[in-house]
Amino acid sequence: ARALVRSLVVPRILAGTDRDVVQLVLIKPEFSESEPLLLAAAALTRSWIDIAESALARARYELALVLDPPIADLLSVALITMVIARLRGDAAVGLAQTSAARDLVIKLTASERARVPLLPLLIDYYAAGFELTRGNLATAWWTLERAAGRFRQWVDGDADHAERRIRADCAGQLSWLDAFTGELRRATRYAGCLLTDRQADTGESGAKFAQLATAWTQLERGEFEQARQRLDHALSTAADHDDPLLAAAERLTQARLAILTGEPEAALRLLGGPTRVIDDQASNQWFTDQFQIATAEAWLAADDVERAIAT
């Protein structure tokens, strides 16, 4: 267990790979008992936030007793905290942890960095999500573009599975952001490229974001039936793990479809329910605003102008 943490397996687990290690940790109590960082990372792949937080607290306590804790351990702590912050919808904590993680990556040896090339990509993926929820769309966009790389970079070359997975996740989120902000041609290119090379019915975050981007683009082009089929397909595929940003994007896309196809009451029901990503309005003002704007559009579609104006 100690050797796995020192080999920086934690970021690979958080990127959605090394499932054999996750399985080993979850079925072998001695692993989780001896190395809480492995337990925390494995728990996050199942979206078991409480277990992850408890294991992380134990890891921090144990590291506080060490005079010179290994950089790999400190980095794993920062990354795990970063992922929990996304699941909790806490952009402020998340951005602080991405900054700390970047500082720690610099302190790794050259061989350690070479062994885990996905580290800066993983940090960028989460940093972009936090920037998006804070309303910093331009920063989120170029951060995702940098991590996604050129078209097909997550497929071509000698990148391993973990690196390709996180690049695809970045490209998928980027395609949805492009579609949502009206960059339909660019969104179509990114989503099409990704869905050609990744399984369209996978539960990967990137593929699901790309499906939503495609549906949104079809809605904006008036292709309502195609958009409905695409959205139904995206929603029928279970996600690998919980992601509040993905859940918010799904609800916004569903509401957009309902508004444009003359079902404003359905849109209002969708927009009125709770969603974790907008629980903390101070941290996630952009998504709060988007839900409010969509609600106003739904009231307008329902011919209730006064409520639309008030909203």
Side-chain angles (χ1 to χ4, degrees):
R2 188 89 287 276
L4 285 171
V5 174
R6 286 178 179 168
S7 68
L8 293 168
V9 75
V10 167
R12 295 177 59 86
I13 292 174
L14 297 177
T17 57
D18 281 352
R19 295 185 180 181
D20 53 340
V21 176
V22 172
Q23 187 69 9
L24 189 65
V25 173
L26 295 180
I27 65 174
K28 296 286 187 181
E30 58 269 26
F31 273 78
S32 55
E33 289 171 2
S34 65
E35 191 44 72
L37 287 171
L38 281 182
L39 175 58
L44 287 174
T45 67
R46 302 292 195 272
S47 301
W48 299 339
I49 306 178
D50 292 342
I51 294 176
E53 288 179 327
S54 176
L56 181 61
R58 181 157 64 93
R60 281 183 169 143
Y61 173 77
E62 293 176 0
L63 285 173
L65 303 177
V66 179
L67 183 61
D68 189 17
I71 298 299
D73 289 45
L74 297 176
L75 179 59
S76 295
V77 168
L79 294 173
I80 290 168
T81 307
M82 183 178 71
V83 177
I84 291 174
R86 176 151 171 161
L87 292 173
R88 291 293 191 197
D90 195 333
V93 169
L95 286 171
Q97 290 304 311
T98 58
S99 178
R102 287 191 176 108
D103 291 340
L104 289 165
V105 168
I106 296 172
K107 296 179 181 179
L108 293 173
T109 65
S111 62
E112 287 173 328
R113 288 197 297 271
R115 197 161 60 240
V116 195
L118 67 89
L119 270 172
L121 309 177
L122 181 66
I123 295 169
D124 274 353
Y125 174 73
Y126 281 94
F130 296 130
E131 295 288 5
L132 176 61
T133 59
R134 295 292 290 269
N136 301 325
L137 269 63
T139 303
W141 190 90
W142 68 254
T143 302
L144 287 169
E145 185 189 43
R146 176 176 65 191
R150 70 182 190 279
F151 290 122
R152 297 187 60 83
Q153 186 167 351
W154 56 87
V155 176
D156 295 341
D158 58 356
D160 64 10
H161 174 60
E163 183 179 347
R164 291 197 300 270
R165 166 68 189 269
I166 200 64
R167 284 192 186 279
D169 283 350
C170 289
Q173 190 166 308
L174 180 63
S175 70
W176 180 81
L177 181 56
D178 272 338
F180 192 85
T181 55
E183 298 288 348
L184 303 185
R185 184 175 298 179
R186 197 165 60 193
T188 300
R189 289 204 312 270
Y190 266 108
C193 180
L194 192 155
L195 293 174
T196 298
D197 293 306
R198 310 291 292 188
Q199 291 183 1
D201 58 352
T202 181
E204 294 178 6
S205 171
K208 290 183 74 66
F209 268 115
Q211 294 272 27
L212 295 177
T214 304
W216 193 281
T217 300
Q218 290 168 332
L219 285 174
E220 295 306 299
R221 291 173 175 165
E223 301 167 356
F224 299 142
E225 189 54 38
Q226 296 95 316
R228 187 185 300 277
Q229 292 175 5
R230 176 73 67 169
L231 183 56
D232 287 345
H233 180 73
L235 295 174
S236 67
T237 306
D240 282 353
H241 54 80
D242 288 345
D243 183 355
L245 268 67
L246 179 60
E250 288 175 344
R251 289 244 307 263
L252 285 170
T253 309
Q254 287 177 280
R256 185 68 174 163
L257 173 63
I259 291 168
L260 293 178
T261 55
E263 301 176 79
E265 295 81 6
L268 289 168
R269 287 194 298 272
L270 281 164
L271 296 165
T275 181
R276 261 185 294 158
V277 78
I278 61 170
D279 282 346
D280 181 356
Q281 295 191 13
S283 289
N284 303 294
Q285 187 60 47
W286 186 78
F287 271 102
T288 303
D289 289 345
Q290 302 317 309
F291 272 73
Q292 286 287 86
I293 291 168
T295 301
E297 290 177 343
W299 283 124
L300 194 59
D303 294 326
D304 195 331
V305 178
E306 289 187 4
R307 286 196 182 185
I309 292 172
T311 303

